Amino acid sequence: MGRSKLISPVRGKPRKRARLAKSGAPAVSVVPQLEPGAPSDLDLMNAIQAEDPDALAQLYDRYNGILKALILRVIHNEAEADDLLQEIFMEIWNQAKNFSSQKGKPLGWMVTLARRRAIDGLRKKQAYARAEERLQNETEQQPDAWAHNVTEEEIVLSDTRDLIRKVIAGLPPAQQEAIDLAFFRGMSQREIAAKTNTPLGTVKTRLELGLKKIYDGLKELRGEL
Amino acid sequence: MNFKEFQNQSRLYVIGALEPEEVEEFEKARKKFGKKAEDYIGECYGLHEAFALSLRPAKASGAIKGRLMAMVRARKEA
């Protein structure tokens, strides 16, 4: 993906030039910058490991909206998403001792945990078929939620979101769909092939190409945030 | 499996899209490449962050934080 695409102005707002990832730094982390003086996510995780409830409260304030959006994308039910969000932050508190900064960033760890719980929750409640139907309805109304959902609010993280969505929107729709079904629906390649009536090899190729483009695109935009 | 193929498989692995038979082969390669493999897999988990950040944040019920913090404080005092 060309660098110029990633640094194009969004809504007429000038952007800083992208810098390539620094050597030795995590290649695709795109965690947004915080206000000066605010504790980092890692500071908060360390405090949670030391059983400081206020640190969890701050982490909740910072990321509840992102995690709720992720859960909602998987289970498509507002009330269940709220319940699950509470359970996930409780799990963050209980499992904080298992977090290691050497293995990744706190947000990545939380997202991984939330996604797993959301997909597990979806399957356990046997709501798969119902959610499938809702997803189908949504897809018909809005064929590509990533690429076309462009009405932006002036909220924290909106620039980060714009940039990431620009990378994702650069993918062909078939690649976006395959990644969407794998990541947000927890589907295997075979399940995606069956759902989309596509040969298994084609699904694999779509996933591989799409993920590589996103990975490479994120490497480029890191440093712009 | 060479390292480039391992990198491709790693991106599928972190989003849970490898088929069971591929996971077996992937785990063998993971052992073969050692720390280099672990570092790369760690980087790939950044995709999770990115996918989550690509979504517009959703508003959670205002009651959740209160319930959560009450549970956490009760757990801490227990």
Side-chain angles (χ1 to χ4, degrees):
Chain A
M1 182 176 294
R3 192 180 191 185
S4 59
K5 276 189 175 179
L6 296 178
I7 59 173
S8 300
V10 176
R11 299 194 307 273
K13 196 172 169 184
R15 293 210 177 280
K16 293 181 284 184
R17 289 190 66 80
R19 296 188 301 273
L20 292 174
K22 290 172 188 166
S23 172
V28 295
S29 177
V30 287
V31 177
Q33 287 185 343
L34 301 171
E35 292 295 319
S40 68
D41 292 349
L42 190 54
D43 292 336
L44 293 177
M45 280 305 297
N46 289 337
I48 292 168
Q49 286 174 331
E51 299 193 346
D52 176 2
D54 291 339
L56 185 72
Q58 285 187 66
L59 205 64
Y60 179 90
D61 290 342
R62 196 172 284 173
Y63 291 121
N64 76 82
I66 289 172
L67 295 186
K68 168 85 183 276
L70 173 67
I71 299 163
L72 210 44
R73 185 68 179 268
V74 175
I75 65 173
H76 299 267
N77 181 296
E78 190 77 32
E80 288 176 7
D82 276 337
D83 289 345
L84 203 47
L85 182 70
Q86 182 182 319
E87 288 175 22
I88 286 163
F89 271 96
M90 199 64 218
E91 191 170 343
I92 289 168
W93 175 260
N94 291 331
Q95 299 296 324
K97 60 184 179 301
N98 296 328
F99 169 76
S100 165
S101 60
Q102 292 183 334
K103 290 184 179 174
K105 303 260 182 186
L107 178 58
W109 181 74
M110 291 190 295
V111 167
T112 301
L113 192 153
R115 173 181 176 262
R116 180 171 49 77
R117 286 294 302 267
I119 290 172
D120 284 352
L122 178 71
R123 289 175 174 162
K124 276 180 193 162
K125 288 170 188 169
Q126 298 183 329
Y128 198 87
R130 282 186 290 113
E132 191 82 359
E133 194 179 332
R134 281 194 289 273
L135 182 68
Q136 183 66 35
N137 291 340
E138 283 179 15
T139 307
E140 282 165 7
Q141 290 161 17
Q142 190 181 43
D144 181 354
W146 265 341
H148 299 291
N149 189 5
V150 293
T151 307
E152 299 288 353
E153 301 163 10
E154 289 300 322
I155 50 177
V156 178
L157 303 175
S158 64
D159 281 1
T160 306
R161 194 168 64 250
D162 283 342
L163 289 166
I164 294 170
R165 289 165 76 114
K166 228 172 170 39
V167 174
I168 293 168
L171 302 182
Q175 290 177 15
Q176 290 187 39
E177 181 188 39
I179 293 170
D180 189 274
L181 291 172
F183 186 76
F184 291 111
R185 311 284 297 155
M187 286 187 178
S188 69
Q189 293 171 51
R190 284 198 178 89
E191 287 169 326
I192 296 169
K195 180 177 170 53
T196 59
N197 200 22
T198 307
L200 183 60
T202 305
V203 169
K204 186 174 179 60
T205 303
R206 285 175 181 170
L207 285 170
E208 285 183 357
L209 289 176
L211 289 171
K212 182 165 190 333
K213 284 178 200 167
I214 293 173
Y215 182 90
D216 291 345
L218 294 175
K219 277 171 78 173
E220 287 207 23
L221 72 79
R222 185 180 173 272
E224 184 166 348
L225 303 170
Chain B
M1 188 186 296
N2 62 32
F3 193 65
K4 192 176 176 189
E5 289 165 338
F6 177 80
Q7 287 176 311
N8 264 336
Q9 296 291 85
S10 295
R11 290 187 283 265
L12 293 174
Y13 172 79
V14 298
I15 67 163
L18 286 182
E19 295 294 332
E21 64 273 16
E22 292 176 316
V23 172
E24 202 174 315
E25 198 186 345
F26 177 80
E27 292 295 352
K28 280 183 196 162
R30 183 177 185 168
K31 277 187 188 163
K32 182 176 88 176
F33 292 117
K35 185 177 183 310
K36 189 166 72 162
E38 296 306 320
D39 288 348
Y40 192 78
I41 292 169
E43 287 181 7
C44 287
Y45 273 108
L47 287 166
H48 282 212
E49 274 175 26
F51 290 141
L53 289 169
S54 74
L55 301 174
R56 182 186 305 160
K59 188 168 171 50
S61 159
I64 291 177
K65 187 178 175 186
R67 286 202 302 263
L68 172 71
M69 297 318 297
M71 286 169 67
V72 164
R73 292 200 163 91
R75 178 74 56 95
K76 193 181 172 188
E77 286 166 14

